[in-house]
Amino acid sequence: MTKKIIGVLTIGQSPRTDVTPFIQSYMGPDVTIIESGGLDSLTEESIHSVEPEDTDTTYISRLRNGQSVKIGKSKLLPLLQKELTELESKTDITLMLCTGDFPALRTKNPIIYPDQVLNEMVRAMSPSCPLGLIIPLEEQREKLLAKWDQQGLKLLAEAASPYEKSDIAGAALALQERGASMIVLDCMGYDEEHKLEAVKSSGLPVILPRALVAQVLSEFVSE
């Protein structure tokens, strides 16, 4: 069996010690993971340079020191493209570690975008009742709802960050009480504990993006 090399590209800084071990557990010991981050070239003093402007799309991710950072999409894209190009020269496939959309990125190898995987799965399930989204930041609400609205779904959203102390259970319960039939934790930062909190609180099916894309990725590397 030819050993596969997977690239994991975060929009923050690598290594993502909060996510990559989970991905590796799905891949097994015969798969090598190489990590890279859009903000890897920035220092603590220059991180402020990627802060979002008022009209920019806001993302949130993790720094290697464990803190979170808000990122403006327009400032991120050139940094992300540079890291992706370098990463692809060493890997067979890349996993984008973000549920945002990145159609402007140029790739030469296969790349898995979690937002596309999520969209297709939710569309296939076609919930008749509203889809509940738990999103990291309140300021992301309008643009994330607009992105998901392209699927023609009834949507509800509550904000609870995976990177700070927040009320995931309360957000899930609020969505259930508002009529949601299913919940998507719309960020790669949410983990299994967050999912468990949401399931226990709401009693609804809860989709964890990192688990979903890890399963897709494992199909690529299996022989």
Side-chain angles (χ1 to χ4, degrees):
M1 184 175 91
T2 302
K3 190 165 186 175
K4 293 291 196 305
I5 302 177
I6 294 172
V8 171
L9 180 63
T10 177
I11 64 173
Q13 289 180 331
S14 66
R16 284 296 299 268
T17 56
D18 60 321
V19 182
T20 304
F22 177 88
I23 303 296
Q24 185 74 69
S25 71
Y26 270 78
M27 301 303 107
D30 294 324
V31 172
T32 297
I33 291 179
I34 299 177
E35 297 184 67
S36 187
L39 308 187
D40 279 358
S41 62
L42 301 184
T43 64
E44 289 188 19
E45 293 74 24
S46 61
I47 284 292
H48 66 86
S49 65
V50 297
E51 291 177 356
E53 305 291 343
D54 291 342
T55 59
D56 206 356
T57 297
T58 298
Y59 291 139
I60 185 171
S61 190
R62 189 176 186 269
L63 302 176
R64 63 175 62 95
N65 63 11
Q67 296 179 346
S68 63
V69 60
K70 293 181 182 179
I71 310 166
K73 184 175 182 178
S74 62
K75 298 176 180 180
L76 170 66
L77 286 175
L79 298 171
L80 204 58
Q81 181 65 64
K82 178 179 179 295
E83 296 293 336
L84 175 60
T85 300
E86 293 180 5
L87 190 62
E88 286 191 316
S89 67
K90 300 174 282 189
T91 58
D92 301 303
I93 187 171
T94 300
L95 170 63
M96 174 63 69
L97 213 62
C98 180
T99 56
D101 59 324
F102 298 95
L105 291 178
R106 303 182 304 278
T107 66
K108 65 176 183 179
N109 294 342
I111 184 168
I112 294 178
Y113 290 111
D115 75 305
Q116 295 183 18
V117 176
L118 278 169
N119 289 348
E120 291 301 322
M121 195 201 76
V122 170
R123 181 189 298 164
M125 296 178 73
S126 300
S128 57
C129 296
L131 172 68
L133 302 175
I134 296 183
I135 61 177
L137 301 170
E138 183 60 41
E139 57 259 46
Q140 293 177 312
R141 180 186 294 268
E142 184 178 341
K143 290 191 176 181
L144 285 180
L145 285 176
K147 182 176 74 113
W148 276 98
D149 193 47
Q150 297 173 17
Q151 309 304 315
L153 302 168
K154 299 176 183 177
L155 300 167
L156 302 168
E158 295 287 338
S161 174
Y163 300 116
E164 312 289 344
K165 186 175 181 180
S166 56
D167 189 6
I168 302 288
L173 179 60
L175 290 171
Q176 184 270 330
E177 291 176 340
R178 294 171 63 192
S181 61
M182 181 172 65
I183 293 173
V184 172
L185 300 175
D186 197 8
C187 177
M188 292 296 284
Y190 295 111
D191 60 25
E192 291 175 297
E193 185 175 338
H194 295 134
K195 175 176 178 175
L196 184 59
E197 290 178 26
V199 170
K200 284 185 174 181
S201 175
S202 68
L204 297 175
V206 176
I207 298 172
L208 181 65
R210 65 170 64 179
L212 181 62
V213 297
Q215 185 60 51
V216 172
L217 191 57
S218 69
E219 291 298 312
F220 178 87
V221 302
S222 63
E223 292 188 357

